[in-house]
Amino acid sequence: MARGRFGTWYGHGGGGDAGPPVVLVGGGGAGCAAGERALARLLARRFPVLLYGRRGDGPAPAEREIGDLALLLETLGGGAAVHGTGAGAGLVLAAAATGVPVGAVSVYEPPYADGAADGLGRVHARVLVVDGGASPSETRRAARTVAAAVPRGRHRTLTGQTHEVAPHVLAPVLAEFLGEGTAGA
């Protein structure tokens, strides 16, 4: 683990070539931090992972945060996968919809209401949208709506999980999805 300009890096402990870097974009709030760090450590067994440090000076305008994420991905040299949870999922999807170059995109319970998925048809990356089977029906419906709105989207429900997803349940699902893009590469 090493702190850098954009957040905290977690190196991968696996043998052979690492997959593309994975940028984790949290939903914000102190309650999420421990779960995000645990998810980063689990994914770092296979991928280099950056736990992205979003602006901490209160809610930043979306354009500013999209610009920050674009700069980070440019610095990484392209091809980085991006995962967002909650509000971080909304940021990741908004950035991809504006043309920020991302590799694969995964999101957990993006904050979209019915009919609010306009613009997601411009997301060209492979997208995995995940929700918890024990989450409220509106949250699960929003996840399915987002998955249907992106051209290369798919949906997955994690049985028994809520918005506070267990990192050890989410990590293998993300690793499998992210690994699909590196198979045979």
Side-chain angles (χ1 to χ4, degrees), residues 132-162:
S135 289
S137 61
E138 314 80 59
T139 301
R140 297 185 62 218
R141 186 172 34 256
R144 288 189 304 274
T145 299
V146 169
V150 294
R152 297 175 62 198
R154 70 175 97 155
H155 174 256
R156 174 113 182 238
T157 296
L158 301 179
T159 304
Q161 295 299 303
T162 65

Side-chain angles (χ1 to χ4, degrees), residues 86-174:
L91 173 60
V92 166
L93 289 168
T98 63
V100 171
V102 294
V105 172
S106 61
V107 293
Y108 187 81
E109 297 195 348
Y112 284 87
D114 289 341
D118 293 342
L120 293 179
R122 294 188 305 263
V123 176
H124 299 292
R126 291 183 311 117
V127 178
L128 174 65
V129 183
V130 185
D131 64 25
S135 289
S137 61
E138 314 80 59
T139 301
R140 297 185 62 218
R141 186 172 34 256
R144 288 189 304 274
T145 299
V146 169
V150 294
R152 297 175 62 198
R154 70 175 97 155
H155 174 256
R156 174 113 182 238
T157 296
L158 301 179
T159 304
Q161 295 299 303
T162 65
H163 191 65
E164 300 298 323
V165 63
H168 71 277
V169 174
L170 181 58
V173 172
L174 298 183

Side-chain angles (χ1 to χ4, degrees), residues 6-115:
F6 293 105
T8 305
W9 277 103
Y10 293 78
H12 78 97
D17 294 330
V22 178
V23 177
L24 298 182
V25 181
C32 300
E36 291 166 358
R37 286 190 302 272
L39 181 60
R41 285 191 297 274
L42 290 166
L43 289 174
R45 295 175 181 168
R46 188 160 167 200
F47 305 95
V49 177
L50 175 67
L51 183 54
Y52 175 56
R54 292 176 68 185
R55 292 180 182 264
D57 55 355
E63 297 80 21
R64 220 165 110 187
E65 285 207 289
I66 290 171
D68 290 349
L69 190 55
L71 178 60
L72 165 61
L73 294 170
E74 179 183 319
T75 301
L76 292 176
V82 186
H83 172 77
T85 299
L91 173 60
V92 166
L93 289 168
T98 63
V100 171
V102 294
V105 172
S106 61
V107 293
Y108 187 81
E109 297 195 348
Y112 284 87
D114 289 341

